[in-house]
Each structure stands twice: as C-alpha cells, then as structure tokens.
Amino acid sequence: MEAVHYSTVVSSQFSAKSHPPSTNKAFYWPNCAVNSTKFSSSWTGSSNASSLSCSNLFTREVCGWVNSKTVNRRKNMRSVVRAEMFGQLTSGLETAWNKLKGEEVLTKENIVEPMRDIRRALLEADVSLPVVRRFVQAVSDQAVGVGLIRGVRPDQQLVKIVHEELVKLMGGEVSELSFAKSGPTVILLAGLQGVGKTTVCAKLANYLKKQGKNCMLVAGDVYRPAAIDQLVILGEQVGVPVYTAGTEVKPSEIARQALEEAKRKNINIVIMDTAGRLQIDKSMMDELKEVKKVLNPTEVLLVVDAMTGQEAAALVTTFNLEIGITGAILTKLDGDSRGGAALSVKEVSGKPIKLVGRGERMEDLEPFYPDRMAGRILGMGDVLSFVEKAQEVMRQEDAEELQKKIMSANFDFNDFLKQTRAVARMGSMTRVIGMIPGMGKVTPAQVREAEKSLKIMEGMIEAMTPEEREKPELLAESPVRRKRVAQDSGKTEQQVSQLVAQLFQMLVRMKNLMGVMEGGSIPALSNLEDALKSEQKAPPGTARRKRRSPSRRQFVDTASTRPSPRGFGSKN
Ligand SMILES: Nc1nc2c(ncn2[C@@H]2O[C@H](COP(=O)(O)OP(=O)(O)OP(=O)(O)O)[C@@H](O)[C@H]2O)c(=O)[nH]1
C-alpha cells in the first residue's frame, strides 16, 4: 500500500475541492506543527507571491513576538488553558491519541483505552449520551478494520477517523439558507430569552446585505419594549429598515402588516424577531404558530445558546415537534462553550445548524461548516475561515500595493499601521489565533497580550512624523527621534527601539519569504524558520558591540533598495 503522510490527509480536508477556489488563492502559511500531536500540517495556497501572505506574516509576527515574550511564563503555568473554544474537548481527545504512541497498528485491544478517553471527553463536553454511544461505536468499528498503512501511525489514523466521524455527526455538508423563488423570503427567528435572537436578526440582515440582498427587520417582541428599541438601534447600525408597530399590537398582526409593507417596497428578505421566554410554555408556542401561519416563512430558525450544551439540542427537538423549524443558529460560540451543542444538535433533532454567532459584533455571524468545526475541535485550526476573514478586511488594491512594497523591501510604518488595523478588523485575536493550525494552545493571557501590543504599536506609530513613518531608518539612526516618539506616545524608549527593530526584522522575513515564493522552494522555509529562531534582539545601543545576527547580516545583503540604518547607537 502506498505511504500516506498525515499532512496529506489533513491538507486534503482543506483542499480546494470542497471550497470555492477563491478562498485559498492568496494564502500561505508555512510549516505549522499541529499541537503536541506533532503532525506537520503544511498548508499552502498558491505558490505565487500572494497578496495576503503579508497579512498572515504580520499576524504571525505579532503572535510570535508574544509567544517569545511569554514562553517562560507559560512554562510556569500549571495547566495550559486554550484560547480556542472547546479547549477541554481538544485536550481530552489528545489524551486518547497519546495512548497510541509507540503502537504499530490499531487493534481491538489497544483502542480500548483511547476509546474510553474519547467517550469521557465527549461526555465532559456535554454531548448527549446516545450521541456519544453511537459516535464511539462508529469510530471503534472503523479503527479496528483499518489495518496497517505504511507511513501513517495508528494515532494519526485514529485522528483521521475521528475527524471524519465528527464531520458526519455535525451534518457533513454546510446547510445553506433557502430563499423563496418568488416574493420576499421570510425568516422567522424563535428562541428562549437572552439567547441572542435580537442580535442575530441584525447580524443576519448584515450578512445577507453583504450578499446584495435587500432586507427588512420586524420587531415582534411585544413583551419587552427595550427589545424593539434594541432592534431599531441595531437596524440603524447595519443600515437596514426596521418595521415596528409598538407593544399593543399582536405579533401575528405585526407580521401581517410587515409582510405587506415588504411586498410594497420590493424587499427581498424579511427577518422577524419574536419574544423569548424563560420557560417553553404553551402560550408562547401558540403565538409562534400563529405568526408562522401568517408569514408562511421560508426559514424558521431556532436561536440557541452554545453554552447550554446538549440542552440546546433538546430545545431544537421540542421546537421542531411543536412548530416545525428548518434549522438552528448557534450563538455565543466564542464563549466558554464545551462543544456539546455543536456536536449534538443535528444528531439529536435531525435539524441542521445553519449559522453560528461568534461574538457580539454585527460581523460575527458565519455559516456553520462541519468540516472546519471538526478541524477546530481537533486543534487543526481553521485555515479557511482565517483566509476568508483576511480577504474580507483587505481590499485587493491595498494588498497589491503592499505586495509591491514588500517585494522591493520598501515596507514602512504606514504599511505596518495598515496591517495592524487589518488584523484588528479581523476580529478579536482570540478568534484569529484559534483559526491558525498549531496555535490552539495559545493561552488567553497571550492573546490579551497580543491585543495589547497591537494597541501599543499603533500608539507609537501615530506619534511618528509622516517622514519617520515613511523612512524608518530615520528612527533607527536617531536616539533623539526615538526619545521624542516615546515621550509623545507615553511609552519607553526601549519600546520604541523594539518596534523599529521589529520592522527591520519583518523586512528581512518578507524579503526571504518573497525569495521562497519566487523560487517556489519550500524547504528554504525551514531555513527561514531557523534564521528567525536564531535572531537576537539587540537592545538599543548595543548593535555595534554585538556580533551581527545572521538575519541582520542577511538584511544588509538583501534589502539593497533601502539604505540600511547606521545602527541604533549612532548619533544624530
Ligand atoms: N459573546 C457573544 N454574545 C452574544 C452573541 N450573540 C448575542 N450575544 C449577546 O447576548 C446578549 C443577549 O442578546 P439579545 O439579542 O438581546 O438576546 P434575545 O434572545 O433577543 O433576548 P430576549 O429579547 O430577552 O429574548 C447580548 O448582550 C448580546 O450582545 C454571540 O454570538 N457571542
């Protein structure tokens, strides 16, 4: 049998086959080790010099900086808390793979303990018991029959089987929203109190508006006057009209009036918010049934809170039996959810999760991709979501301009600032980092530090003159200038010096990366990684006394288009 390396298996999960080519055309993420399982999951997009590579490099730069700063602190931590959601589940599953280290082949005997770990991890993640039983059975059946595959270790085989089963468990394919063939598409949202319905209404309108749809929101929560105001404010925020009729009109009547108005105004999509209750009671269900009858909606989506675990799956089942729903929206996946809801909803209720909410911002609503979610659970990161986010925040022209600058080693502080802001627009660092394979073990403290350092950098760059931003060597050569920037930004001179040094280090890396891309030689990347590791950060004023680090020497050799700075110790 042909040797298969795990990296191929993982890469194929993220292959262009299952996703539109546009999602991976401009991405490059070199040699990421996946958690402690040490799987090499090299994932590459086009080998052409790509516009987003700079964005990724930048993020990595920031993450790397934070990592190196906190590595010692991390050693002292008793337990590693993951920034990635489902952290506990990921760790629990890792325990299972680790039990197979040193084994030659998967057997009935040696999978007993790992299967017990998987079962425990899923139960602790609040996945419902029947689901866990079926899952464990399916994985065990396959694991025993798999036999020996040359080049693939048994623990790797098990990860692959679990990945496939997780994808199946969560519904396999993405479940897209349906749209009406004629007339407005009506989406009715239901759910318990505080799950995020009102917020989801606006997020959904925002999401569909980006796809060119013309939306209208309907305020149907007549029991909580603040909900109407909240929807009006959110509607304004996303630029979508909101139909309101106060609190004295019955929700079914509001629905009827709103639908008429939508037809009159040629609205494509009507999204109706409804009241939430603490308990599922009969009057609530009857009211929803009445609204549903009037609207004849294309989609009836139950909004459920991911934090409620398997309870969310039970709710989806109840609502489906009572009123008939088309799917669920899982909110608060950015929170401390253990994964039970995401893993149980489809299997328990038969209804798919269509969308997920990952934060309080209007942009924080995404389709639910079972394969990406499985990848995240297994700590493989979510490269495709990362790429999509990056593409969303970076205009093509900006990216191309940046590309040119990088290739000619002309990247300055203005570009640095642009990149900082692009990263910030991608959302909280927790989410961004969680999407990167191998970064699953970054701690929340590290993430907070990364976010803080982005702000600090921004403050220092803003304190520079336009000339200094364009010519970073002015700062590199002049302690006086650095002192002024430090004073104006309220930071220390050392911080300013570090930032300047960092920019030049980035230039070296970019230059090297461009070399790799032009030549298409991947192995050179490991040299780059080695070069990066061996870089020393010379404190300001010591550059001349210390031996020049390899990367600095390299910079002097390669970045010929920019006069190299005379060192941080020179007078000005
Ligand atoms: N972190 C996080 N918070 C969310 C998310 N979705 C909603 N929220 C927050 O959850 C809280 C409740 O959201 P609402 O939209 O008011 O909930 P609701 O279901 O309409 O509440 P009722 O009208 O009382 O039934 C708000 O503070 C939202 O910002 C999410 O995906 N992540």
Side-chain angles (χ1 to χ4, degrees):
M1 201 174 289
E2 220 182 304
V4 186
H5 190 268
Y6 186 76
S7 62
T8 347
V9 178
V10 176
S11 306
S12 68
Q13 315 282 3
F14 300 126
S15 74
K17 265 189 281 164
S18 52
H19 300 283
S22 63
T23 57
N24 60 14
K25 69 167 189 266
F27 181 76
Y28 185 86
W29 197 275
N31 291 349
C32 297
V34 178
N35 285 341
S36 57
T37 42
K38 304 273 190 319
F39 299 140
S40 155
S41 77
S42 308
W43 190 91
T44 57
S46 156
S47 62
N48 294 334
S50 63
S51 49
L52 279 169
S53 60
C54 28
S55 180
N56 301 324
L57 186 69
F58 179 82
T59 316
R60 192 153 172 254
E61 185 78 26
V62 175
C63 300
W65 189 65
V66 172
N67 273 340
S68 67
K69 274 185 78 180
T70 51
V71 74
N72 291 330
R73 234 174 297 156
R74 185 158 28 140
K75 277 185 196 154
N76 296 333
M77 285 175 75
R78 282 223 186 95
S79 63
V80 176
V81 187
R82 288 159 193 270
E84 174 69 327
M85 59 186 183
F86 309 156
Q88 207 185 344
L89 175 56
T90 311
S91 308
L93 292 172
E94 249 176 47
T95 314
W97 333 136
N98 289 340
K99 297 258 167 78
L100 286 167
K101 292 272 158 67
E103 297 287 346
E104 301 266 303
V105 65
L106 291 174
T107 64
K108 209 171 170 183
E109 289 73 38
N110 70 14
I111 61 157
V112 171
E113 268 215 59
M115 291 320 299
R116 207 174 285 146
D117 291 330
I118 291 175
R119 184 187 155 90
R120 191 179 307 128
L122 291 171
L123 287 173
E124 279 171 7
D126 203 16
V127 179
S128 88
L129 184 60
V131 174
V132 175
R133 281 202 187 117
R134 278 197 293 276
F135 184 86
V136 168
Q137 191 59 53
V139 172
S140 311
D141 290 349
Q142 286 188 59
V144 176
V146 78
L148 178 69
I149 302 175
R150 216 152 38 90
V152 187
R153 297 196 315 256
D155 55 336
Q156 295 170 339
Q157 285 176 20
L158 188 60
V159 176
K160 182 180 176 288
I161 295 168
V162 170
H163 184 275
E164 284 167 1
E165 284 302 318
L166 283 175
V167 175
K168 268 194 227 159
L169 184 65
M170 290 184 282
E173 297 292 309
V174 179
S175 184
E176 310 265 0
L177 286 175
S178 305
F179 297 102
K181 293 205 173 64
S182 63
T185 295
V186 179
I187 302 176
L188 177 62
L189 294 183
L192 300 190
Q193 214 170 59
V195 290
K197 276 182 310 312
T198 310
T199 317
V200 162
C201 279
K203 281 182 182 173
L204 189 53
N206 188 44
Y207 171 80
L208 293 168
K209 196 178 151 196
K210 277 193 196 155
Q211 295 175 10
K213 311 272 192 218
N214 169 7
C215 303
M216 183 174 100
L217 296 172
V218 184
D221 184 354
V222 293
Y223 304 101
R224 192 168 70 91
I228 300 176
D229 299 340
Q230 186 188 351
L231 196 67
V232 170
I233 292 167
L234 292 175
E236 259 169 36
Q237 209 174 312
V238 296
V240 169
V242 181
Y243 186 87
T244 61
T247 53
E248 300 302 317
V249 185
K250 266 173 59 175
S252 54
E253 178 56 22
I254 297 176
R256 197 189 54 74
Q257 291 172 8
L259 195 55
E260 270 174 22
E261 168 115 342
K263 284 179 185 158
R264 260 200 314 276
K265 293 190 169 165
N266 277 331
I267 297 279
N268 306 139
I269 312 231
V270 176
I271 303 168
M272 177 148 179
D273 187 20
T274 56
R277 307 277 165 85
L278 279 177
Q279 302 286 327
I280 304 168
D281 55 42
K282 191 171 175 311
S283 67
M284 180 192 181
M285 289 300 186
D286 288 345
E287 191 181 275
L288 266 178
K289 280 182 205 163
E290 220 178 304
V291 172
K292 189 182 169 197
K293 210 162 136 197
V294 171
L295 287 177
N296 188 23
T298 323
E299 292 275 8
V300 183
L301 300 173
L302 186 73
V303 183
V304 284
D305 182 338
M307 314 270 238
T308 57
Q310 56 174 301
E311 178 61 27
L315 267 177
V316 176
T317 311
T318 311
F319 268 77
N320 188 38
L321 290 174
E322 286 285 330
I323 55 165
I325 61 170
T326 54
I329 298 181
L330 200 58
T331 59
K332 309 189 188 179
L333 256 188
D334 53 313
D336 193 18
S337 99
R338 288 177 290 165
L343 291 172
S344 311
V345 164
K346 179 71 200 312
E347 183 78 2
V348 170
S349 69
K351 291 291 159 188
I353 298 172
K354 296 210 167 187
L355 296 152
V356 290
R358 287 185 194 280
E360 296 186 67
R361 300 174 324 151
M362 289 298 104
E363 297 77 33
D364 296 333
L365 186 79
E366 303 163 3
F368 179 69
Y369 297 100
D371 58 343
R372 298 187 193 183
M373 189 64 75
R376 284 179 157 215
I377 290 171
L378 295 178
M380 294 171 183
D382 181 354
V383 175
L384 289 168
S385 297
F386 178 77
V387 176
E388 279 173 7
K389 283 280 157 210
Q391 282 175 326
E392 248 177 51
V393 299
M394 202 150 186
R395 289 191 314 132
Q396 186 65 25
E397 309 91 86
D398 283 353
E400 276 164 15
E401 194 195 313
L402 213 51
Q403 188 71 43
K404 274 187 215 142
K405 290 190 165 194
I406 289 166
M407 293 185 81
S408 58
N410 256 332
F411 190 83
D412 61 25
F413 277 115
N414 287 319
D415 307 311
F416 200 95
L417 196 59
K418 238 184 234 170
Q419 289 285 66
T420 315
R421 288 178 177 155
V423 170
R425 279 204 300 274
M426 281 170 75
S428 119
M429 285 293 273
T430 320
R431 284 180 41 209
V432 176
I433 289 175
M435 291 174 190
I436 303 167
M439 298 297 280
K441 272 187 174 163
V442 173
T443 66
Q446 285 174 299
V447 170
R448 277 195 296 278
E449 207 152 331
E451 280 172 334
K452 220 164 70 191
S453 66
L454 280 178
K455 284 213 175 73
I456 293 174
M457 286 180 201
E458 210 172 326
M460 289 189 281
I461 297 172
E462 273 165 359
M464 293 172 192
T465 64
E467 201 192 5
E468 285 163 353
R469 286 191 205 180
E470 270 175 34
K471 296 181 185 155
E473 55 273 21
L474 290 177
L475 285 160
E477 291 170 358
S478 163
V480 178
R481 285 178 186 268
R482 294 200 298 274
K483 194 169 176 182
R484 198 210 68 247
V485 172
Q487 272 167 357
D488 291 356
S489 61
K491 301 287 169 305
T492 65
E493 280 176 66
Q494 202 196 1
Q495 279 173 305
V496 176
S497 300
Q498 256 174 13
L499 178 67
V500 177
Q502 209 183 342
L503 183 96
F504 283 101
Q505 281 165 4
M506 262 179 93
L507 278 170
V508 175
R509 287 166 209 220
M510 286 169 174
K511 199 75 192 158
N512 278 320
L513 187 63
M514 287 306 122
V516 169
M517 284 178 164
E518 279 161 11
S521 116
I522 300 302
L525 277 168
S526 53
N527 298 340
L528 170 63
E529 298 266 307
D530 289 344
L532 298 186
K533 274 186 216 139
S534 63
E535 263 172 15
Q536 292 169 7
K537 274 190 188 133
T542 62
R544 281 193 177 155
R545 267 169 272 142
K546 282 206 170 164
R547 282 185 60 196
R548 278 192 298 193
S549 70
S551 61
R552 191 165 165 75
R553 254 181 280 136
Q554 232 166 333
F555 173 71
V556 175
D557 296 342
T558 54
S560 49
T561 50
R562 183 194 288 288
S564 54
R566 277 180 283 139
F568 297 135
S570 63
K571 288 198 173 74
N572 192 18

